[in-house]
Amino acid sequence: MDFQNNELLRFSTAGSVDDGKSTLIGRLLYDSKSIFEDQYDAIKTTSERRGEENVNLALLTDGLKAEREQGITIDVAYRYFSTPKRKFIIADTPGHIQYTRNMVTGASTANVALILIDARNGIVEQTRRHAFIASLLQIPHLVVCINKMDLVDYSEEVYNRIKDEFSEFSYKLDVRDVHFIPMSALNGDNVVDKSKNMEWYGGGSLLYFLENVHIGSDHNLIDCRFPVQYVVRPYSDEYHDYRGYAGRIAGGVFKKGDKVMLLPSGFTSKIDKIVTYDGELEEAYPPMSVTLLLEDDLDLSRGDMIVRENNHPTITQDLEVMVCWFNDRPLQLRGKYALMHTTQEARCVIKEIRYKLNINTLHRDEEDKKIGMNDIARVVIRTTKPLFTDSYRRNRITGSLLFVDEGTNETVGAGMII
Amino acid sequence: MNYHLNHLRELEAESIFVLREVAAQFERPVLLFSGGKDSILVTHLAMKAFHPAKIPFPLLHIDTGHNFPETIAYRDSLVEKLGAKLIVGSVQEAIDKGMVVEEKGYNASRNFLQTAVLLESLENGKFDAAMGGARRDEEKARAKERFFSHRDEFGQWDPKNQRPELWNLFNGKKHYGEHFRVFPISNWTELDVWQYLAIEEVELPSLYFAHRRKVFMRDGIYLADSEFIPKRPEEEVEERMVRCRTIGDVTCTGVWPSEAQSIEDIIKEVSTARQTERGGRADDKRTETAMEDRKKQGYF
Ligand SMILES: Nc1nc2c(ncn2[C@@H]2O[C@H](COP(=O)(O)OP(=O)(O)OP(=O)(O)O)[C@@H](O)[C@H]2O)c(=O)[nH]1
Ligand SMILES: [Mg+2]
């Protein structure tokens, strides 16, 4: 069946409040004919009841009562559509600063981030914050959507001015691939179809970009990393002594017969079998979920890691981390937090706050070390036991961690290992 | 060598990861099994995730007593095949005990009574994580769900204050008495589900395929003629070729005119459908935020 070869692309929206993110997603779904009649009828009725002139396409993603009342997005909405070329998972995120953590939630797994800018206002603080977060999260591709062009007479000059200003800013960011598209999410210009109102724009529509951007190299296929997630023990006569190490490949290509090293013990063994329900595999690569059997009977449990002998991660209790703080209780110097890293859990203490980042200027503030909600800072932590890490730049899975408050159990911060 | 998974295999890998994470992080997880294609899919994925061991958690069916008989037959044979443990939470019993009160009138449905029975069953079994087959593409409030959805001791969902959920790090930490709802197939669409069930050759309840059935029209939707739904005088029963797109309680599951005899036919039908599958669910139509309101109270 031909549907079996569709590729999956995840993208998220970003940008300030009211810049048109939800409207854009609604337009993308509508113009790509991904909206069902009953969905359309429902938002039409709601729009009419609220006395809106047009059908408000943002209502397709703003599904919560509180969001509809206030006309803003509060939490991420996930939407799906596909074209013959790809299947898309969209995370429509809130622009409001108070909900930055939800923006980060939606963006953390994205291949592409769409950053919206209201052409009338140009770049504002939230644009910078979100662009910076996108670069921190190492989202491989950024598309800057200069929106509401209908309100600035589709002016090429306005577009160029914003484009130049953003380029100057993004030059200081760690982003690999930036594109610019002038559009009107409201009217659909350059969303699915190319706009007739902006002949001066030589590039393609947003959908054209999303269908064609190359995402094949977004996984690390070099450094073999297999965090043990769960030990499969059937306890049956047929599978006596069976110990399968279940998990998801976090990096590299594992092959049957490979010599491997186990962390933290440092013992070595060989991969005896790569097991799935559908049969044995010769090799496994990210993001596959498999079960590994080893030749030797060794003690391994959740949180341990299987790697290659000549290429192993950093084994350390001392980490330098960029942290994005989510909680209204500020990050505490010398405070203790629970940590989640791959399938491992530990505790940590914040040993030092190196600097807080000023989002507007990217200036490193070494004086003001109060790290509150939505702040981004560089910290030094020490953990209760060794973690097996790579830099986030090298591997998004082995390089990321969560800070959890030990009293409330809330996720209070996200960390990217430097 | 092309190290690349197609979208169905990538979704499968993600769901298996989530299922294993639940088994690892929780003491007493349970899988909610409704008999619909989504819970069949989750069960199938759980079977794959822990192979060659058995699924390390029981299945829980909240039985409204108003089932299509085919659903129960299918459920029992699946449970036997998997060697799994089945727990049934009965709405009828809850009514008999006076725990909940049956709705009256033409649109009466036991669907709403499920929430109380579900919460009670979770409490009785001391379950700390309940997995279900809800998908984000089903409904606008579901589009906002996390994979790991935290519930307070009353089972309530607080959509304005969900935990951030980044990368593939799922925080299942909780206080005593609280629990989690977990949605391993959050990212699947209806079409993905059918495509996957097709390539995996999963056996399905006959209700999903076109069959002749006595039906009647209410509010633009065909409902199955059943002793559980009182008909208005003007509602006329007719025989039609129909199939279910979702399977729930008889009283609120619309059936659709269809000729689809095989999964391939269904895929063709679904990929050109102009209505969402829940377009046939009377329970969603009561008010604009019916689903969100029910979820806040502890519904799935
Ligand atoms: N004229 C015009 N108005 C637009 C355009 N795009 C969005 N709008 C309007 O801008 C307002 C805000 O749009 P939303 O899509 O809700 O903005 P948002 O970025 O999702 O906002 P948050 O999610 O709350 O951050 C709405 O009134 C839209 O109709 C556009 O291209 N042109
Ligand atoms: Mg929005």
Side-chain angles (χ1 to χ4, degrees), chain A residues 56-267:
Chain A
N56 182 349
L57 293 171
L59 291 174
L60 279 167
T61 59
D62 291 340
L64 299 175
K65 199 183 275 180
E67 294 179 325
R68 289 169 167 230
E69 277 163 15
Q70 298 172 53
I72 60 164
T73 305
I74 291 173
D75 208 337
V76 202
Y78 294 91
R79 283 282 168 192
Y80 306 82
F81 76 107
S82 52
T83 68
K85 285 209 168 131
R86 272 181 181 159
K87 170 184 161 106
F88 299 96
I89 299 183
I90 311 171
D92 181 33
T93 75
H96 201 290
I97 183 160
Q98 190 186 340
Y99 305 117
T100 302
R101 60 189 194 176
N102 297 334
M103 177 271 173
V104 180
T105 290
S108 68
T109 51
N111 307 97
V112 176
L114 310 182
I115 300 188
L116 274 87
I117 299 176
D118 184 331
R120 295 171 305 175
N121 307 334
I123 295 169
V124 296
E125 179 174 337
Q126 266 311 73
T127 323
R128 292 202 178 86
R129 182 185 306 273
H130 284 180
F132 182 73
I133 291 173
S135 80
L136 200 62
L137 289 169
Q138 292 282 311
I139 300 176
H141 314 276
L142 294 193
V143 182
V144 181
C145 305
I146 299 173
N147 188 35
K148 308 200 186 181
M149 290 300 291
D150 55 303
L151 298 180
V152 294
D153 290 328
Y154 301 102
S155 155
E156 182 177 8
E157 204 189 313
V158 172
Y159 168 77
N160 281 331
R161 199 180 63 230
I162 296 173
K163 181 177 166 186
D164 291 345
E165 198 190 338
F166 190 93
S167 303
E168 201 173 307
F169 172 73
S170 68
Y171 170 72
K172 292 184 258 175
L173 301 177
D174 184 16
V175 289
R176 287 174 263 175
D177 184 35
V178 187
H179 297 259
F180 296 87
I181 304 177
M183 63 177 65
S184 166
L186 191 69
N187 302 329
D189 294 80
N190 287 335
V191 178
V192 166
D193 304 310
K194 258 206 77 159
S195 169
K196 299 224 161 46
N197 294 313
M198 292 175 274
E199 301 287 357
W200 47 263
Y201 168 67
S205 72
L206 176 62
L207 183 62
Y208 178 85
F209 175 85
L210 293 171
E211 283 190 313
N212 293 290
V213 59
H214 177 71
I215 53 167
S217 50
D218 291 358
H219 286 293
N220 177 326
L221 294 173
I222 297 162
D223 312 307
C224 289
R225 305 285 184 263
F226 185 82
V228 175
Q229 190 187 5
Y230 183 87
V231 182
V232 176
R233 300 220 56 182
Y235 296 111
S236 65
D237 292 343
E238 190 187 346
Y239 293 102
H240 208 75
D241 294 335
Y242 183 105
R243 287 171 69 87
Y245 301 108
R248 201 170 182 192
I249 314 275
V253 181
F254 284 86
K255 296 192 170 77
K256 185 175 166 157
D258 272 356
K259 198 165 176 205
V260 290
M261 187 164 92
L262 317 179
L263 298 176
S265 69
F267 291 140

Side-chain angles (χ1 to χ4, degrees), chain B residues 19 30-34 38-39 42-43 129-135 138 142 147 180-186 300:
Chain B
L19 285 159
V30 67
L31 199 163
L32 297 185
F33 185 83
S34 70
D38 300 320
S39 59
V42 178
T43 312
M131 288 162 278
R135 307 188 327 266
E138 275 180 83
R142 291 210 158 143
F147 276 91
F180 274 78
R181 300 287 168 83
V182 181
F183 306 104
I185 57 164
S186 286
F300 225 74

